[in-house]
Amino acid sequence: MLDKDILKKQIRKLEIRSNKLVNEVFAGQYQSVFKGRGIEFAEVREYQVGDDVRTIDRNVTARYGKPYIKLFSEERELTVIFLIDFSASQHFGSTDKLKSEIAAEIASILAFAALKNNDRAGMLSFTDKVEKIITPKKGKNNILRIIKEILDFKPSGQKTSISTALKAINEIWRKKAVVFLISDFQDAGYERDLAVTAKRHDLICIKINDDKERELPDIGLIEMYDPETGSRFTLDTFYDNDFLKEKSSALDKAADSVFKRAKVDIINLNTKESYIKPLIRFFKERERRTMLG
């Protein structure tokens, strides 16, 4: 747990940086990609020449003996939910930032973009269990609460279960939402649940990697600690680096295959690089697809 004064300063710093990026870079792109994507039924009116026959309301038409069509309006408010991985592997970072810190910054930017568009924002944090749920609400206070929890929450679990988080959101939020799943995806067996979530919600996966988890410097024998299992083991970096590469590569390929089959967007981030360009690239690609229909 962070000291209260330090935490307040961190939250304020993150708020200022996020607002600056939203105002200068992401606000317009967020709105064009996500705003008004849903529609809701408004009313019926009598059919007129040129109307799309696919919108004819058969029940009302049968009742009154002449054709009526359904009219729809854009759903102006969205619900944005952050699924945040709080497992122990998130507290790794070989650069100046941990994966968990990058997750906090990404969530902060997207949350303030949602705030600017008057959308509701909520959070579900998870390890191998659901750790905490913040109900989606409007307003700055709720955004700041989400950021505080990401920065300062101490989970009870250590391991990762992406399926647990996906099952929870599928059960809790029935209405379609924009869901950002932020994790390093060091897990397996979540394919089916991810596909279900992708059909029900607009799911975007944000994958945070660190190169040092894939390859260590050749310095001989070192003692390693796995924070998720609590196990300790000795690794010979001269001979075992190939094993690390193969294991990481297998996890990456498996995750990419899952994302592709479920047709979800993936934003790949690395702790050694800025996340600004990958985010801009994601928004531009989504905007292009939206325009193409």
Side-chain angles (χ1 to χ4, degrees), residues 215-263:
E215 184 175 8
L216 295 169
D218 293 333
I219 55 176
L221 295 173
I222 57 173
E223 186 176 0
M224 302 289 290
Y225 172 70
D226 185 337
E228 294 205 9
T229 63
S231 62
R232 295 182 181 274
F233 57 96
T234 301
L235 187 73
D236 189 334
T237 58
F238 288 121
Y239 299 103
D240 292 335
N241 255 330
D242 286 342
F243 168 74
L244 279 179
K245 289 180 185 177
E246 289 172 6
K247 182 180 178 182
S248 298
S249 178
L251 278 173
D252 288 340
K253 288 179 180 178
D256 289 341
S257 177
V258 171
F259 301 145
K260 186 176 181 179
R261 286 199 301 272
K263 297 180 180 179

Side-chain angles (χ1 to χ4, degrees), residues 117-171:
N117 273 333
N118 202 34
D119 295 334
R120 295 176 293 271
M123 184 188 79
L124 185 151
S125 62
F126 69 95
T127 52
D128 55 348
K129 65 184 81 173
V130 174
E131 294 282 351
K132 191 176 185 68
I133 294 172
I134 295 179
T135 303
K137 294 179 182 177
K138 294 182 183 182
K140 181 179 174 180
N141 287 341
N142 201 50
I143 299 297
L144 295 177
R145 183 186 173 198
I146 289 171
I147 295 171
K148 177 182 181 297
E149 291 294 340
I150 296 174
L151 289 173
D152 198 41
F153 180 69
K154 184 173 177 58
S156 59
Q158 298 293 315
K159 299 179 181 179
T160 308
S161 176
I162 292 172
S163 280
T164 295
L166 294 170
K167 286 176 180 174
I169 194 168
N170 291 337
E171 292 172 0

Side-chain angles (χ1 to χ4, degrees), residues 166-282:
L166 294 170
K167 286 176 180 174
I169 194 168
N170 291 337
E171 292 172 0
I172 296 170
W173 284 287
R174 298 287 183 176
K175 191 175 182 181
K176 185 172 183 177
V178 177
V179 178
F180 291 98
L181 171 53
I182 306 176
S183 173
D184 55 14
F185 289 89
Q186 293 189 13
D187 190 22
Y190 54 83
E191 296 90 339
R192 182 180 179 279
D193 295 307
L194 187 135
V196 171
T197 304
K199 287 181 180 179
R200 181 170 294 173
H201 302 288
D202 186 355
L203 176 64
I204 299 101
C205 296
I206 301 177
K207 189 167 180 278
I208 305 175
N209 299 315
D210 190 292
D211 288 345
K212 287 297 184 289
E213 291 179 308
R214 289 161 162 70
E215 184 175 8
L216 295 169
D218 293 333
I219 55 176
L221 295 173
I222 57 173
E223 186 176 0
M224 302 289 290
Y225 172 70
D226 185 337
E228 294 205 9
T229 63
S231 62
R232 295 182 181 274
F233 57 96
T234 301
L235 187 73
D236 189 334
T237 58
F238 288 121
Y239 299 103
D240 292 335
N241 255 330
D242 286 342
F243 168 74
L244 279 179
K245 289 180 185 177
E246 289 172 6
K247 182 180 178 182
S248 298
S249 178
L251 278 173
D252 288 340
K253 288 179 180 178
D256 289 341
S257 177
V258 171
F259 301 145
K260 186 176 181 179
R261 286 199 301 272
K263 297 180 180 179
V264 301
D265 285 315
I266 172 67
I267 305 173
N268 281 302
L269 305 178
N270 195 296
T271 56
K272 70 178 182 181
E273 299 169 349
S274 170
Y275 48 74
I276 303 300
K277 286 184 178 180
L279 276 180
I280 292 174
R281 191 161 52 245
F282 158 73

Side-chain angles (χ1 to χ4, degrees), residues 98-117:
L98 305 177
K99 288 187 283 185
S100 59
E101 292 174 322
I102 293 176
E105 292 184 20
I106 294 292
S108 178
I109 291 169
L110 295 170
F112 276 105
L115 175 66
K116 192 174 183 67
N117 273 333

